[in-house]
Amino acid sequence: MGRDCTASLVDDLRASAPTEHSRWLTELEEPAFRELLHARYGDTYSYPMLYEPGGASRLWRSGRLLSLGELNAQGAVVSHTGLWTAPGRDSVDSGLSLTHPSQRTAMDRDEHTRMWRHLLGRLRTHVGFVHQNTSTLHLMAQRYASRIMGAVPVGLVVNYTQGEQLIGVEGSGIPMQALAMTTVLSPLPPRTRYLPSGHWGEWLLSILAGLDVSKTAVLVPTEGGAHTKRYILRPIDWNESLLIERRELTGLSDSEAGEPELRSPRARVDLVHLSMGDPQQVAVGTPVLLAAGYRPSGVRLHRDSPDEIVFQHVRDVSAACVALSRARLAGRDSQALFAGWVERCARTS
């Protein structure tokens, strides 16, 4: 999805309001949007630019953020959901989903269902997936993603945010664990997906089973050997507000090419993707990542390129396991995903 395609997506979505109570926010509603942000998060939300006058408007004008909100008769924004876009992606990210802790909403479940049916239908002509990192503090958010958006659990992110205070939600203030979820907008391509054999491969296979593509997966033995001197990494994404970096490990080298260190020096949450399309890449890359302190944390699907295993660097595995074991999870698949990660970390560490 290039720059022109991104503009086409934005124009297509903004062409009409999805339902009677939902509308695309404009610069005129920015003060009301900031009031909603303060009502739900105080001054603790991780994206500080959204508190600045003109901050949200700049994102709206660029098409980087599309904000769908509900306004009441007094002009207050009582609910909001955001779609984040980026050139070159075969997906959009859903996030910034807020409801006012005290203002009433006129939208019922049927209208929310119709709203997302409209959105997903429009998105389907431009991208293949909607990704989101759903809070493990808020059971209703997970149920909404699953039942209304058709999202499927595909992984987790340890300590996704820090310091946010979600007003009116029990347990707010502790580091947020994220349940990674994906809405698949069109049938997944019939391709072979390679996974590492062993207990991590079994965990990843269970995620693919939830996406109904586990029959195409092949488990490959991992290979040890001499430690490489260099890592060849491709940048994917850098989230400056959350200090989350995504990179892809594309190869290993004993020459001067590549990076001498695998760890990101700037990331708080360090995510490395490994292609599922090459059995040798999986066989060699998996033990290298495990030895460097990374653990498989999920999968990332693609439309026209190979799907990927996502690894996260975990500084303190024991602390991460304790945090994840306390997560509030709405569905059996999500509970099994988190429990399986904790159990496999105990075997690996």
Side-chain angles (χ1 to χ4, degrees):
M1 187 177 78
R3 188 181 303 273
D4 292 341
C5 188
T6 303
S8 173
L9 180 153
V10 170
D11 292 342
D12 190 10
L13 287 175
R14 286 178 174 167
S16 61
T19 63
E20 57 269 31
H21 293 108
S22 60
R23 57 179 288 186
W24 298 104
L25 300 187
T26 68
E27 296 178 37
L28 295 176
E29 285 88 43
E30 189 189 52
F33 166 75
R34 289 201 304 272
E35 289 178 11
L36 171 62
L37 196 62
H38 277 287
R40 182 53 90 182
Y41 280 98
D43 61 356
T44 69
Y45 194 59
S46 295
Y47 290 82
M49 82 287 289
L50 294 175
Y51 290 104
E52 303 168 2
S57 293
R58 287 192 296 273
L59 292 170
W60 293 336
R61 285 195 300 270
S62 70
R64 178 72 179 91
L65 173 65
L66 291 86
S67 283
L68 193 62
E70 177 192 350
L71 280 72
N72 64 13
Q74 292 72 44
V77 179
V78 297
S79 68
H80 173 275
T81 191
L83 294 173
W84 298 85
T85 71
R89 300 283 176 81
D90 61 0
S91 62
V92 298
D93 289 292
S94 173
L96 195 51
S97 297
L98 309 170
T99 56
H100 200 287
S102 58
Q103 300 278 3
R104 296 189 62 181
T105 175
M107 293 180 66
D108 58 16
R109 175 170 176 160
D110 287 343
E111 186 172 353
H112 278 281
T113 301
R114 285 187 284 111
M115 182 184 80
W116 276 104
R117 187 181 300 127
H118 171 92
L119 293 175
L120 297 177
R122 293 292 181 90
L123 287 166
R124 188 172 288 115
T125 63
H126 300 277
V127 295
F129 312 96
V130 179
H131 301 307
Q132 59 183 300
N133 288 313
T134 310
S135 172
T136 58
L137 298 175
H138 202 327
L139 293 176
M140 287 303 297
Q142 298 170 42
R143 294 189 180 109
Y144 186 96
S146 175
R147 298 171 184 175
I148 305 295
M149 300 174 65
V152 177
V154 295
L156 54 87
V157 184
V158 181
N159 291 346
Y160 181 68
T161 67
Q162 285 187 326
E164 288 187 350
Q165 298 283 339
L166 193 57
I167 295 170
V169 175
E170 181 184 353
S172 179
I174 63 175
M176 177 186 138
Q177 318 306 318
L179 172 65
M181 305 184 77
T182 291
T183 302
V184 180
L185 298 176
S186 56
L188 293 171
R191 59 168 67 113
T192 302
R193 296 165 173 90
Y194 297 99
L195 300 174
S197 61
H199 50 267
W200 281 116
E202 295 166 359
W203 182 75
L204 293 164
L205 191 64
S206 70
I207 295 174
L208 294 185
L211 294 161
D212 200 26
V213 293
S214 59
K215 293 179 181 179
T216 67
V218 175
L219 297 173
V220 297
T222 56
E223 299 179 9
H227 192 277
T228 182
K229 296 178 181 177
R230 296 277 177 169
Y231 308 91
I232 302 175
L233 297 156
R234 178 182 68 85
I236 298 176
D237 184 61
W238 166 243
N239 186 318
E240 186 174 3
S241 295
L242 293 175
L243 301 181
I244 296 176
E245 185 164 25
R246 290 182 184 269
R247 299 166 296 155
E248 182 184 1
L249 178 64
T250 61
L252 306 171
S253 174
D254 288 324
S255 69
E256 292 303 310
E259 300 294 329
E261 297 291 336
L262 186 54
R263 287 276 307 279
S264 168
R266 62 178 180 172
R268 183 181 60 82
V269 176
D270 184 2
L271 303 172
V272 172
H273 293 212
L274 186 67
S275 172
M276 281 192 264
D278 183 348
Q280 185 67 12
Q281 189 93 327
V282 172
V284 175
T286 298
V288 167
L289 286 162
L290 289 172
Y294 292 80
R295 298 292 180 267
S297 62
V299 302
R300 175 59 63 97
L301 304 174
H302 292 288
R303 191 161 60 175
D304 300 318
S305 58
D307 303 313
E308 297 156 349
I309 305 169
V310 181
F311 289 75
Q312 179 174 351
H313 186 267
V314 183
R315 294 178 178 85
D316 187 334
V317 173
S318 296
C321 288
V322 170
L324 291 176
S325 68
R326 294 173 177 169
R328 302 176 68 202
L329 298 160
R332 291 182 179 178
D333 289 345
S334 304
Q335 293 165 2
L337 188 152
F338 272 59
W341 193 90
V342 170
E343 190 270 335
R344 282 158 178 81
C345 273
R347 283 202 249 170
T348 305
S349 303

